């Protein structure tokens, strides 16, 4: 995990509208390594989602540079998948037609891609729900379906904006562990925004703590947990867990 996949350098960004200017980011810089799982935490409204929108190319930085690196020179920039908190599935399409929607739009619904999707549905426990409507699935299953829809386009980098926050606590623990396992198994690079400090510690390789708006990087915390059986729920019982939690808590309560 040594190769840099993206650099976010000295990025500043403000929103402009009729009521004036809102500066969201002030000189934010960070790097992400290929295959890394980065979590971003910070006070509400500090500019977290703005960072993901900039990475996804939905917004353009006012100053600074965003650079993506590929394995071979001249290769296209790594694909980006963006998964949001309310990643709605369409009720008039069954699960299969929801997870293949992106492929359909991009005219990539080839037999090969179809069988990849079918394999993912099977691996993630959804194949018997392929022809059900979204409303017939539990919250966790819907979230897995939304992830499959994102992964079907084979992005190299996944941007996850509070993807679990609509789930109840227990489902959230299970689904976040699940989704993290899927992302790691597929060797994707992931950037996760969350307001749940325990979730950030148990899932991420590194956590960026942002200041209140305009966001600056307040702290960067690499996470090393000793995990005897490498299970994500066990992460919360790792001896280092409490120290990381307290450190994050202190950083964030200073911001308030
Ligand atoms: P976070 O995700 O950390 O909660 P955001 O990145 O969504 O925060 O927003 C950062 C700040 O920019 C907030 O104060 C928000 O109100 C403001 N903001 C976000 N989107 C817009 C917009 N389209 N127009 C004006 N202000 C915005
Ligand atoms: Mg947000």
């Amino acid at each position: 995990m040594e190769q840099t996949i993206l650099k976010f350098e000295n990025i500043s960004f403000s929103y402009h509208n009729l009521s004036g200017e809102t500066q969201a980011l002030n000189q934010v810089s960070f790097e992400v390594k290929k295959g890394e799982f980065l979590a971003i935490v910070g006070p509400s409204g500090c500019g977290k989602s703005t960072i993901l929108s900039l990475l996804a190319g939905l917004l353009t930085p006012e100053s600074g540079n965003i650079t993506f690196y590929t394995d071979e020179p001249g290769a296209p920039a790594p694909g980006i998948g963006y998964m949001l908190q309310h990643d709605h599935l369409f009720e008039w399409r069954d699960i299969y037609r929801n997870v293949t929607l992106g492929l359909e739009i991009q005219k990539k619904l080839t037999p090969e891609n179809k069988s990849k999707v079918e394999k993912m549905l099977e691996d993630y426990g959804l194949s018997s729900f392929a022809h059900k409507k979204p409303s017939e699935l539990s919250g966790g299953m819907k979230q897995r379906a939304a992830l499959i829809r994102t992964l079907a386009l084979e992005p190299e980098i996944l941007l996850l904006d509070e993807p679990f926050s609509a789930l109840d606590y227990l489902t959230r623990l299970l689904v976040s562990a699940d989704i993290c396992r899927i992302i790691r198994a597929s060797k994707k690079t992931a950037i996760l925004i969350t307001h749940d400090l325990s979730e950030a510690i148990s899932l991420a390789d590194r956590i960026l703590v942002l200041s209140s708006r305009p966001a600056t990087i307040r702290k960067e915390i690499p996470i090393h947990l000793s995990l005897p059986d490498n299970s994500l729920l066990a992460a919360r019982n790792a001896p280092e867990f409490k120290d990381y939690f307290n450190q994050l808590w202190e950083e964030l309560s200073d911001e308030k």
Side-chain angles (χ1 to χ4, degrees), residues 113-254:
N113 283 334
K114 280 186 189 166
S115 61
K116 271 189 205 146
V117 165
E118 282 154 22
K119 169 110 182 18
M120 282 196 273
L121 285 168
E122 199 179 310
D123 287 351
Y124 311 151
L126 291 178
S127 44
S128 55
F129 294 86
H131 299 296
K132 302 260 192 238
K133 292 285 154 73
S135 59
E136 297 176 82
L137 272 66
S138 68
M141 288 169 135
K142 279 191 271 203
Q143 212 58 10
R144 265 181 296 192
L147 181 72
I148 295 175
R149 181 174 62 186
T150 309
L151 291 175
L153 294 167
E154 305 203 321
E156 239 193 284
I157 304 175
L158 282 167
L159 308 177
L160 306 164
D161 198 347
E162 310 210 25
F164 314 124
S165 50
L167 304 174
D168 66 82
Y169 183 69
L170 193 62
T171 311
R172 181 180 180 126
L173 283 181
L174 295 170
V175 172
S176 63
D178 226 34
I179 285 190
C180 181
R181 186 178 46 75
I182 294 166
I183 291 171
R184 288 199 190 273
S186 56
K187 298 196 163 48
K188 305 288 180 197
T189 306
I191 304 180
L192 168 75
I193 288 180
T194 178
H195 58 257
D196 182 331
L197 304 184
S198 305
E199 186 172 283
I201 301 165
S202 58
L203 300 184
D205 297 310
R206 184 161 54 102
I207 302 179
L208 294 182
V209 184
L210 302 183
S211 70
S212 30
R213 193 180 64 77
T216 54
I217 305 270
R218 200 184 146 105
K219 191 110 192 181
E220 209 179 304
I221 307 178
I223 303 293
H224 300 286
L225 299 174
S226 33
L227 294 178
D229 58 357
N230 216 13
S231 116
L232 281 162
L233 291 177
R236 294 171 193 245
N237 294 317
E240 305 84 0
F241 191 90
K242 212 171 90 208
D243 291 337
Y244 286 128
F245 191 94
N246 290 338
Q247 193 182 350
L248 284 169
W249 182 256
E250 262 168 43
E251 291 294 338
L252 289 168
S253 41
D254 268 10

Side-chain angles (χ1 to χ4, degrees), residues 84-91 98 101 134 142-143 146 149:
L84 304 168
Q85 178 179 350
H86 295 289
D87 222 338
H88 294 296
L89 300 170
F90 296 109
E91 188 55 29
N98 264 287
L101 180 63
K142 279 191 271 203
Q143 212 58 10
R149 181 174 62 186

Side-chain angles (χ1 to χ4, degrees), residues 15-17 22 24 43-51 161-162 213:
Y15 290 99
H16 299 270
N17 57 26
T22 307
S44 146
C46 76
K48 300 180 293 297
S49 298
T50 304
I51 293 179
D161 198 347
E162 310 210 25
R213 193 180 64 77

